[in-house]
Amino acid sequence: MQPAPVICGIGTSLPSRVVTNDDLAAELDTSDEWISTRTGIRERRIADPGTATGDLARAAGEGALKSAGDASVDMVVLATTTPDHRCPATAPDVAQRLGLTGVPAWDLSAVCSGFLYGLACASSFIRAGTAERVLLIGADTYSTILDPNDRATRAIFGDGAGAVVLRAGSPAEDGAVSSVNLGSDGTLRDAILVEGGGSRSPFPPGEVPGEGRYFTMRGKTVFRHAVDRMSEASRTAAESAGWDPSDIDCLVPHQANARIIQAVADRLGLPVERCASNIERLGNTAAASIPLALADAAGSGRLRTGDRVLLTAFGGGATWGAAALTWPDVAPMAG
Ligand code: UT7
């Protein structure tokens, strides 16, 4: 029988610095009232200068390996759009810092859908028998690419990392991932964009990079497409798992905006109480958002062993996806 990917460990890492809406209002033309009513966010964690994505990724990976009770894996996948360097990938360095030198390790770039793209990738290696155990990390430090003067994006994003260990198991086990579906639409490539620094618009040698170094987002466009695509992808993943949307015990959506989460829940006919959310405390942590929300839901008892869980995300590219799984008996560990 073909092995199934089974989650057997989960870890997190957050910067200690809390930035509240009032802190942002002290330096930008915004308010706690605007941010909390439009997004549901009250505070976010921001990495101190000198802390890189790889540092958070390493710590979350360490937590996941401890939570799994076995520090051996034969593959490391890091989903991020804020790698430590443009070249090389951050994953090999994270792997060696975790004592995993020698295993294949690479970065995967799918913006806020990165964790789901990584889940599909890790699952495929396990199903094919190419890997027995995979460490999948979602980590981002968006604070390093945000325009300090852009109140819209600074209000939303925070930094963090979350990780899971997947092992080869059986489809009937708690923790088994039963379906993942993904999609993309490049016509939306400029809806979420860091214009400069790539091969299309390299930074001129010797010059200080200008505005093109910052993250930009067409918020309303992204909002509309996020609701459509996350709802459709969730229906598809539920159907592939043989579930009706009403069978979902816990929807764990990408934490982009509380109003997006509410709209997706409405379209699926789910009461919002069946959604996991930590957006109030962490904001949007991009590739880290789903594993951080899973860890919070598991840690608080919101997620119980055997629960039917539906993950869904939308991000730059545009990319999107959804996955169906059952929840295993694991305790999240902070790295
Ligand atoms: O993670 C990847 C996926 N990302 C998302 O899913 C994000 C999706 N988009 C959103 O969550 C929302 O579009 C935002 C929260 C980003 C913005 O909310 P909105 O209700 O769509 O506002 P808007 O962009 O239409 O802006 C309305 C007004 C504008 O002012 P004017 O032009 O009407 O005078 C903005 O400049 O609100 C202003 N505004 C703010 N005002 C106070 C934008 N950000 C802020 C702010 N504080 N932080």
Side-chain angles (χ1 to χ4, degrees), residues 24 28-35 38-39 41 111-113 142 150-157 192 215 217-227 230 254-260 279 284-287 289 313-316:
L24 289 181
L28 293 165
D29 181 14
T30 188
S31 64
D32 175 51
E33 204 267 332
W34 194 97
I35 300 170
R38 295 284 183 116
T39 70
I41 300 166
V111 197
C112 296
S113 311
Y142 266 51
D150 183 2
R151 60 185 178 175
T153 53
R154 280 198 60 202
I156 296 173
F157 288 97
I192 285 177
F215 176 96
M217 177 168 72
R218 286 196 277 121
K220 278 210 186 313
T221 304
V222 173
F223 190 110
R224 203 176 63 249
H225 287 277
V227 173
M230 287 164 72
H254 168 48
Q255 307 286 303
N257 185 319
R259 291 184 294 132
I260 294 179
I279 193 168
N284 179 346
T285 53
S289 137
F314 181 89

Side-chain angles (χ1 to χ4, degrees), residues 38-323:
R38 295 284 183 116
T39 70
I41 300 166
R42 292 197 178 273
E43 59 188 42
R44 70 287 294 144
R45 300 295 185 94
I46 299 295
D48 284 326
T51 299
T53 295
D55 301 323
L56 299 178
R58 186 211 55 78
E62 187 177 85
L65 293 170
K66 273 195 203 142
S67 162
D70 181 346
S72 68
V73 293
D74 42 21
M75 186 171 284
V76 176
V77 182
L78 171 60
T80 185
T81 12
T82 50
D84 291 5
H85 305 282
R86 260 191 298 147
C87 174
T90 304
D93 183 49
V94 170
Q96 76 81 23
R97 290 166 72 193
L98 289 168
L100 297 165
T101 303
V103 305
W106 72 92
D107 290 4
L108 184 158
S109 174
V111 197
C112 296
S113 311
F115 184 79
L116 290 180
Y117 271 66
L119 189 64
C121 193
S123 298
S124 300
F125 276 103
I126 288 173
R127 283 188 208 285
T130 316
E132 280 273 321
R133 297 172 64 83
V134 181
L135 174 61
L136 166 63
I137 308 171
D140 270 308
T141 47
Y142 266 51
S143 63
T144 61
I145 57 170
L146 296 182
D147 180 345
N149 297 313
D150 183 2
R151 60 185 178 175
T153 53
R154 280 198 60 202
I156 296 173
F157 288 97
D159 301 332
V164 296
V165 177
L166 293 134
R167 62 166 171 80
S170 91
E173 282 183 76
D174 290 331
V177 179
S178 51
S179 74
V180 189
N181 71 82
L182 306 172
S184 80
D185 178 359
T187 65
L188 293 171
R189 66 189 159 273
D190 63 353
I192 285 177
L193 184 68
V194 179
E195 176 96 52
S199 59
R200 194 165 295 285
S201 315
F203 294 136
E207 284 184 27
V208 178
E211 300 255 304
R213 64 178 290 195
Y214 293 126
F215 176 96
T216 59
M217 177 168 72
R218 286 196 277 121
K220 278 210 186 313
T221 304
V222 173
F223 190 110
R224 203 176 63 249
H225 287 277
V227 173
D228 288 347
R229 295 302 190 177
M230 287 164 72
S231 309
E232 282 165 19
S234 297
R235 280 190 184 284
T236 306
E239 202 177 301
S240 306
W243 305 343
D244 184 78
S246 61
D247 295 330
I248 297 165
D249 296 309
C250 191
L251 178 72
V252 185
H254 168 48
Q255 307 286 303
N257 185 319
R259 291 184 294 132
I260 294 179
I261 296 173
Q262 176 76 61
V264 172
D266 288 348
R267 293 231 186 142
L268 295 173
L270 289 175
V272 80
E273 303 77 62
R274 280 206 228 163
C275 298
S277 182
N278 57 10
I279 193 168
E280 194 179 7
R281 285 186 301 107
L282 300 186
N284 179 346
T285 53
S289 137
I290 286 182
L292 285 172
L294 277 171
D296 269 349
S300 69
R302 167 70 192 77
L303 259 182
R304 287 176 304 252
T305 306
D307 274 359
R308 280 160 299 202
V309 181
L310 204 297
L311 315 178
T312 187
F314 181 89
T319 56
W320 60 85

